[in-house]
Amino acid sequence: MATTAPRKRGFPTHQLFVLSLCRICEPISFCSILPYIYYMTESFGIAKNENEIAIYAGMVTSAFAFAEFTTGMMWGRISDKFGRKPVLIMGLVGTMLSMLMFGFAKSFPMALIARAIGGGLNGNVGVIQTTVAELATEKEYQARAFAVMPFIWCLGSIIGPTLGGLLAEPVKRYPAVFHPGGVFEEYPYLLPSLVSASILVVGIIIGTLFLEETHQILREKPDIGVRAGRKIVGFFKRHSSSRGNIKGPKGYSSPHNQQEEGLLVSGGSEYSTFANAPTTNITEEEQVRKRPPTTKTFTTPVVLLIVSYGILAYHTMGAEQIFPVFLATPRSPEPPHHLFKFTGGFGLDTQSIGFILAVQGVASMIIQFFFFPLIVEHFGILSVYRFCMFLYPISYLIVPYIDFLPPSLSMAGVYAVLLVKIVFAVLSYPCNAILLTNAAPSLLVLGTINGIAASTASICRAFGPAITGVIYTQGLDLGMVGLAWWANAGVCVLGGIQCLWMEEGDFYSNHQTGEVVTDGETGRSVVARTTRFVAGEECNEHTMAHKVADEEDANSFTEEADMGGRERS
């Protein structure tokens, strides 16, 4: 009998591109407020002095993350039940509403409410990680795939601060275009919010029309949005071919028969990531039954990585918030003379801060795209992650000491400390995401795991800027501008110690071969996520998903039988 070699699924370029177009809208919106958050908070008149501005700016930044924490686990479970795509679209809608409200905010409570609404309606941090994991099922593609979303965040962090720095206070900066007495004078920070909201509308449309569901079971359900998107693409292709009278091999012109027309509408391989998946009727009860029990979902490696993710989110978000505040803090009238007791920032305006943050995004994007895959391929994911966690404190310890540099070298010092911080951030976040995916016992619960991880990171991101802002203000009162940076370094040390409990075998040995392994706690056999296929068996996305699901189902019945036997005995 003839045999067929198993066919590997290629790199999901098309869907990652669509997902990236949706994802880039959020960092643009999130980062656009950073250049002017200091001055916007000052305009509220709630701070008694300049030192207190950092506290309230940190609270505004934290409101989004705190609200995201309260709903993150819920969105993760919703994505497991109803699919990844609806949650992603809802996150974009929530962010759009948040930006519109934030632009019209004239008081501190209004700004807090606007940010909280955006965070509460946004569960995209964990769901996007799940979506990428379900798209890149081959391990050789994981480093490239998981580097895409941080790369997109870096790209958005270039565009966002640039927009915020250039468009804030337009009447003051561009009086020839925006005349006094209009809406932009009454709401000086509305223009960047409107532009960000418009970008989000584009992302919502793209996601609705072209983003495919990646849930192993729910992706087989009809998607009206994707069907409409394929019809639009098909219309323009036929229109372009008929106008240009393009001649060439079959497949370069519009469909010539009903079979090809049906392929275009229902999902051909040219457009669909999961084109060969037939339709099956799987009930919700069967889907739930196929999932591992909760005790098997949150294993020790998964818990360790979630805790590590929280620590990472705390100190990185705190640093992201106080860095522009540090740049905007007025200069000290006297140069520093003490190793620890000195104060003063750089007194930069919104445009200068926006440019610096844009440069940070460019450097992050370059390192993420060109160096991250090579580094993790050579040294290994866990080794790179440990390296970052152990040495991360350096990136914070050195920041305040750029005050010691002469004025001619001060900006060079700013970019130098930025580069150090960028390297650690760019390497650590995707490594954590890959390790968490490899540690998950099943893709069917990956949405729940990433939802918990996102909630943990969100609460840490909520407390990070707020606590760091308080410490920064206290440090200014004590004449120690570096106090917040050194406190952040102390948190990094805890993250490095926590990494010592992570072992290489927890993330690779059970998922590389696809062989049956034994669970030491229950004594039963379980199937690794990557399933082995016999020669001659068709190997496509649908077959792989259901083979894994069926094997997990059989394992769950075996476990139930074993438990029943032990109870009867």
Side-chain angles (χ1 to χ4, degrees), residues 23-187:
R23 177 56 170 164
I24 195 173
C25 303
E26 291 184 295
I28 290 175
S29 302
F30 186 85
C31 298
S32 66
I33 74 170
L34 296 179
Y36 61 80
I37 186 62
Y38 179 91
Y39 299 99
M40 186 178 186
T41 306
E42 185 181 29
S43 69
F44 293 148
I46 192 172
K48 297 179 181 178
N49 52 60
E50 290 182 345
N51 292 350
E52 288 188 356
I53 295 177
I55 296 178
Y56 296 104
M59 292 175 66
V60 172
T61 307
S62 299
F64 184 96
F66 185 79
E68 193 176 35
F69 157 73
T70 61
T71 60
M73 185 168 61
M74 176 193 72
W75 287 121
R77 290 179 176 175
I78 290 175
S79 75
D80 279 341
K81 185 175 182 180
F82 297 102
R84 321 303 182 196
K85 180 176 177 176
V87 176
L88 291 174
I89 300 300
M90 188 63 207
L92 294 177
V93 172
T95 306
M96 180 195 66
L97 296 175
S98 172
M99 290 306 301
L100 290 175
M101 293 180 62
F102 191 76
F104 284 103
K106 298 183 69 174
S107 64
F108 180 70
M110 183 64 179
L112 283 180
I113 293 172
R115 298 292 289 171
I117 289 176
L121 296 177
N122 194 316
N124 287 0
V125 174
V127 177
I128 282 178
Q129 299 283 33
T130 305
T131 303
V132 174
E134 290 171 336
L135 286 172
T137 55
E138 300 292 340
K139 288 192 178 295
E140 59 264 35
Y141 299 142
Q142 282 187 330
R144 289 171 56 196
F146 277 95
V148 170
M149 291 304 115
F151 173 83
I152 294 301
W153 182 273
C154 295
L155 183 59
S157 68
I158 299 170
I159 302 172
T162 303
L163 288 177
L166 292 177
L167 301 181
E169 300 177 315
V171 176
K172 178 181 176 181
R173 298 187 181 279
Y174 314 107
V177 180
F178 301 94
H179 302 289
V183 66
F184 292 114
E185 184 177 32
E186 185 178 0
Y187 301 99

Side-chain angles (χ1 to χ4, degrees), residues 51 338 340-344 472-483 486:
N51 292 350
H338 192 276
F340 298 106
K341 297 197 68 174
F342 58 92
T343 187
Y472 186 80
T473 299
Q474 187 67 30
L476 292 177
D477 293 338
L478 296 174
M480 301 174 64
V481 72
L483 185 62
W486 301 328

